Amino acid sequence: MRSFILFLITICLLFSCTFVNGNTFKKEGNLPEIERLYLTCKIWGFLKYYHPLVGKGSFNWDDKLQSVLKVTNDITTYEEFSDYMYKWIYYMGELKECKSCSKANKNDLFLENFDLSWTQSQYFSDELQKILKYVENNRFQGNHHYIGRGDLEQFEAKNENQDYGLSWENKNVRLLPLFRYWNYIEYFFPYKYKTDQPWNEVLKEMIPKFLEAKTQLDFQLAMLELVVKVDDSHGAFLPPLVDQLPYFNFPSVKFEMVEDQIMVTEIIDEEKAQKDDLQVGDVLLSINNQSAKQIHESQKKYIWASNEAAKNAGIRYALFMGIKGTAQITIQRNGATKTGSITLYRSTDLKLKEVSKPKWKSINDPIGYVDLKNLTIKEVNEMMEELINKSVLIFDIRNYPRGTYRAIAKYLHPSETTFAIFTRPDYTYPGKFIWSGASSCGNKNEDYYKGKVILLVNEKTQSHAEFTCMCLQTAPNVVIVGSQTAGADGSVTKLPVFKRYYSSLSGVGVYYPDKGETQRIGIVPDIKVKPTAAGVRAGRDEILEAAIEVAKEEIARLIAEAARLEAARLDSILQDSIRMQMLLMDSLQIDSIQMDTLQMDTLQIKDGKQ
């Protein structure tokens, strides 16, 4: 009887604990396929980078994923899923206690990207929650089988099987590149917190698209759309044969968004553009009887870019997507509408005419202009010696410079200045980042350039160009003229996706010394100038023109200041002269009084003698 009572008490306690836990009802019910795959991806990725045995390379983790997907394909409830996942992790092997893990670095952490709260989801059983937490607390430390480090401590994927056979018939295999890439970003992308769409939502949205990608084209488009969702101008998708992608069909001209119009802004191949009768200033209205602007909006999901300015700059990559050979277009020129056929080419078939431009020159004598595109480090001294006496220096950074920023900064800065700080992955705790390192430029120089410095920027100012701006803008008397830059700062890391398919993204977080952001925001101009339709048609460089106006105002100010100083100097001389004259007059008056006194005294003496 006593044993029976104890049994009843035990059952009651177990029931009470289950009821109090509050998770039971959440764990019950059907588990939808997308949710099951979503949770599988997260657990698989977490174990890939956290579990010590996986970190040692004890398993072929891609094969493990395929095995798990086969088994869980028949699981339809959260309870079954939790039970299977718990047993899978448990039977992987015993984990030793990680003594160093409890001493994790707590200083200088950047935690905007870090969130493992999902491992304690109310949809997971208590056993699964506990074992996931145990893995986190006793995570792998040391040289990880799947985690490499670049020269700048950026993440580089290591030991990924790139020859895994991609099967259009096997949906589980098609999920591998999605799961790989999603977890790359989840744990090692420094700007994950800045994506427009929360990264968890991206996974749920993209799973159906990969399940349905039953052809190479479908797969490429799904992969491209996934990569674009990181909102990073460095986030390119590079298949083995780039020209096979449907969006690599180019006209002979460059189209850009100008004043809310899709306009020809540059001729790429003059001979081919003449055959198609395309001119700078033409406004594209339609492509194959569809609105060009609507096509652009619908195809933005295939243009990798950090911000809208960069997307508009990349418009040519997607406008003629899926069209091969020729396209029927309607353009507007000089108020008239014209319809015709143009030929589309591979990029390698277009012959871009290179225009020779001076690396530096004088403008109106007191202004120096420097194009950083082709200027080399060795040429900086010669350039500065020639331009050092100019009243204003304009540095054009609407291009990709050649590492000259520190050499130039030695002339512009009076002292060494920190201009950037960084976040890098905390490899002892994936998902966390560390504030690590800083960059400075300039040195002590009493004879630094004291004139005005103008930096020219636009959407072509990207990555190293933006880093160059960050350095040069810390010099005294600098103003930035132009439009929003590409917003993709920092080093580029290359990521293997699948069987010679690669992607890339920004690998290190770059910030101003006050932790102000540059990613997606870019370098913010002090004076905002955008090209106009009229300016494009006239062949004007309106950003440079605006900079020259700023320079002229500065020169006028200097002239006025010099005139004021000269007037003050002359006035000072005049005042000094007047004071000297007054002193002289005073002196003469004193002498006259003294002479009179002397004469009177002399007369008195003579009178005395008389």
Side-chain angles (χ1 to χ4, degrees), residues 107-358:
N107 297 321
D108 298 322
L109 286 178
F110 180 86
L111 300 175
E112 293 290 339
N113 295 311
F114 183 75
D115 182 12
L116 289 180
S117 61
W118 62 269
T119 63
Q120 306 305 299
S121 169
Q122 58 186 346
Y123 292 98
F124 291 166
S125 66
D126 295 338
E127 291 83 3
L128 181 55
Q129 289 179 15
K130 289 176 182 177
I131 200 168
L132 289 174
K133 193 65 179 178
Y134 186 81
V135 172
E136 178 187 351
N137 292 337
N138 298 279
R139 61 198 171 274
F140 179 81
Q141 303 291 289
N143 186 19
H144 199 288
H145 183 72
Y146 290 108
I147 300 175
R149 305 188 191 190
D151 294 338
L152 299 176
E153 285 295 301
Q154 75 274 22
F155 166 74
E156 290 185 352
K158 189 172 69 170
N159 292 320
E160 297 287 10
N161 181 4
Q162 297 175 46
D163 292 324
Y164 212 88
L166 187 61
S167 170
W168 309 122
E169 293 77 26
N170 189 331
K171 66 178 183 180
N172 290 341
V173 174
R174 294 199 300 272
L175 289 173
L176 175 58
L178 168 62
F179 286 15
R180 267 187 188 173
Y181 183 84
W182 190 88
N183 281 290
Y184 289 156
I185 304 302
E186 174 72 0
Y187 292 101
F188 301 109
F189 181 43
Y191 302 118
K192 185 188 75 172
Y193 72 103
K194 288 188 67 66
T195 57
D196 283 340
Q197 188 177 5
W199 198 236
N200 286 325
E201 292 182 12
V202 170
L203 178 57
K204 289 184 178 181
E205 179 186 334
M206 295 307 299
I207 286 174
K209 297 186 179 184
F210 276 80
L211 290 176
E212 297 163 6
K214 297 180 180 180
T215 68
Q216 184 179 17
L217 175 59
D218 292 339
F219 171 77
Q220 288 180 340
L221 293 179
M223 196 68 228
L224 177 59
E225 187 175 350
L226 170 66
V227 170
V228 168
K229 286 182 179 292
V230 300
D231 298 317
D232 182 14
S233 294
H234 283 150
F237 173 54
L238 307 170
L241 297 174
V242 172
D243 284 334
Q244 288 185 358
L245 276 176
Y247 60 91
F248 275 85
N249 303 313
F250 298 116
S252 56
V253 298
K254 182 176 180 180
F255 287 102
E256 290 184 278
M257 188 68 74
V258 180
E259 292 186 328
D260 201 35
Q261 301 176 97
I262 300 174
M263 179 176 287
V264 176
T265 58
E266 183 182 348
I267 302 298
I268 298 174
D269 190 312
E270 289 187 1
E271 183 179 346
K272 292 179 174 62
Q274 288 178 0
K275 289 181 180 179
D276 291 330
D277 190 22
L278 291 173
Q279 300 177 12
V280 170
D282 288 347
V283 176
L284 183 64
L285 301 177
S286 69
I287 303 171
N288 290 343
N289 298 318
Q290 295 183 45
S291 166
K293 290 177 67 174
Q294 289 180 4
I295 291 174
H296 174 48
E297 286 299 318
S298 66
Q299 303 293 54
K300 279 182 179 180
K301 63 182 179 181
Y302 297 123
I303 303 174
W304 56 77
S306 298
N307 52 43
E308 194 69 12
K311 273 195 183 294
N312 286 333
I315 190 173
R316 64 190 292 259
Y317 293 107
L319 266 180
F320 297 90
M321 194 170 187
I323 305 174
K324 291 186 178 181
T326 61
Q328 195 79 7
I329 67 168
T330 302
I331 62 170
Q332 188 177 68
R333 181 188 300 165
N334 299 326
T337 301
K338 172 182 176 295
T339 299
S341 179
I342 64 169
T343 303
L344 302 176
Y345 305 89
R346 295 192 309 169
S347 59
T348 52
D349 294 333
L350 295 171
K351 299 177 181 178
L352 178 62
K353 183 179 179 181
E354 290 289 340
V355 179
S356 179
K357 296 181 179 179

Side-chain angles (χ1 to χ4, degrees), residues 459-475:
E459 68 281 351
K460 296 177 184 176
T461 307
Q462 177 175 321
S463 191
H464 179 65
E466 292 174 298
F467 200 67
T468 298
C469 285
M470 292 177 70
C471 163
L472 298 185
Q473 73 178 142
T474 58

